[in-house]
Amino acid sequence: MVVIYPAGVTAASGPVPDPVDALLSAWRSELPDVLRPTTELSKRIAQLAAALDAATRGVLPDLGLTVAEFDILVALRRSGAPYRMKPNELVRVLLLSSGGLSNVVNHLAGRGLVVREPAPDDGRSTMIRLTPDGMRTAERAVRAHADAHEAVFAQASPAAVQAAARALREVGVQRRSVPRPLRAGRNRSRS
């Protein structure tokens, strides 16, 4: 019997096959032309992103926070003293709608974690600022988030984590827009 291992996996000492290997193996058998040099990387990134998202979502209920509340609190905390931002800055940084932001800020304000105050440079606009309670909550949340993410990588060596970070920086998506794929049947060249 011949065993075909996925790319990069050897019988003697390679990594243990995982769900991404199984997916790639299935496509290699069924429709090999759909596999691209980036297929494994994109599947592994998606798998990692899902694990990190699940880890974050797992710690937020203990803090009484939703993902949107967490995002706003930590955006304000990392903005530096005096830990305040204009609503339109938060919308831009967090990719929220202004209505969605307003609802979440109302909820956080009701819990005493943020306050709205006049902008110092424009009396017509407002700023969202962390309260001392909001500061403590944001810091607890960031620490819990970091610990949860650390646990996701617990089986990897520090050297492997650093190498992966460097590699992802090199191949990372730097563009804001992604080219649209060609539709099936269209001619690839525009002669």
Side-chain angles (χ1 to χ4, degrees):
M1 177 171 138
V2 175
V3 177
I4 299 174
Y5 291 96
V9 177
T10 64
S13 62
V16 175
D18 64 13
V20 173
D21 293 325
L23 178 133
L24 296 172
S25 180
W27 282 121
R28 251 184 232 102
S29 296
E30 295 299 318
L31 203 56
D33 64 309
V34 302
L35 296 175
R36 305 287 193 270
T38 56
T39 302
E40 181 177 6
L41 176 62
S42 62
K43 297 302 178 194
R44 292 197 181 284
I45 289 171
Q47 185 181 45
L48 179 58
L52 293 169
D53 183 60
T56 297
R57 289 175 185 277
V59 298
L60 293 181
D62 291 343
L63 299 163
L65 297 174
T66 66
V67 172
E69 292 167 341
F70 169 78
D71 288 343
I72 290 170
L73 291 176
V74 299
L76 291 168
R77 178 60 182 89
R78 75 174 168 258
S79 71
Y83 309 107
R84 67 182 178 200
M85 295 174 75
K86 291 182 178 179
N88 64 343
E89 293 172 320
L90 281 167
V91 164
R92 188 180 65 250
V93 168
L94 301 176
L95 305 175
L96 289 172
S97 70
S98 57
L101 176 74
S102 184
N103 288 337
V104 178
V105 168
N106 287 342
H107 190 253
L108 291 170
R111 292 176 53 198
L113 301 176
V114 300
V115 293
R116 287 185 172 91
E117 57 188 22
D121 59 340
D122 180 2
R124 294 173 296 156
S125 63
T126 61
M127 305 284 286
I128 311 300
R129 181 180 52 81
L130 281 178
T131 64
D133 227 12
M135 180 81 76
R136 285 186 292 277
T137 301
E139 289 174 4
R140 278 195 336 266
V142 169
R143 285 185 174 91
H145 173 263
D147 290 345
H149 283 199
E150 185 80 13
V152 170
F153 296 104
Q155 299 301 310
S157 71
V161 170
Q162 290 171 354
R166 283 191 303 274
L168 287 172
R169 175 186 290 273
E170 186 177 327
V171 301
V173 177
Q174 301 301 319
R175 296 172 293 176
R176 286 280 185 224
S177 63
V178 177
R180 292 174 53 190
L182 294 174
R183 282 183 262 157
R186 279 185 49 191
N187 189 352
R188 290 187 180 253
S189 67
R190 294 243 170 195
S191 316

